[in-house]
Amino acid sequence: MSLQANQRKNSKRPHEPWPEYLIQHFRKGMETTISQITERFPKSIHAATRQGLVLKLRLFVFTHTLAELGT
């Protein structure tokens, strides 16, 4: 199955019921995880370079993974 976006309710070409269920199921998990990661972010991220920003974002994701493994 390829990456598919959720269709609107009034779409003229809606998904079949089974892909729609899978899309909704995985979407909830992704939204929860992204929400948990962004809660760990400070209000601002000071990074002088692009590599510094990428490093900080990777560290936030890494700390989230460690925190999830610890619970």
Side-chain angles (χ1 to χ4, degrees):
M1 184 173 185
S2 63
L3 182 64
Q4 295 183 351
N6 198 8
Q7 296 284 357
R8 292 183 174 190
K9 296 277 184 204
N10 61 353
S11 175
K12 293 185 181 193
R13 295 183 307 147
H15 291 297
E16 296 286 328
W18 67 271
E20 185 67 31
Y21 171 77
L22 291 176
I23 290 169
Q24 286 296 324
H25 176 74
F26 289 112
R27 178 182 174 179
K28 290 177 187 176
M30 289 297 295
E31 286 181 354
T32 301
T33 302
I34 291 171
S35 173
Q36 290 171 346
I37 291 172
T38 56
E39 283 178 3
R40 297 184 190 280
F41 283 1
K43 291 191 180 201
S44 66
I45 300 173
H46 178 75
T49 64
R50 185 179 201 174
Q51 290 123 353
L53 177 65
V54 170
L55 176 64
K56 288 184 178 191
L57 293 176
R58 285 183 177 175
L59 288 174
F60 283 120
V61 172
F62 180 68
T63 56
H64 171 73
T65 304
L66 290 178
E68 287 297 310
L69 291 173
T71 57

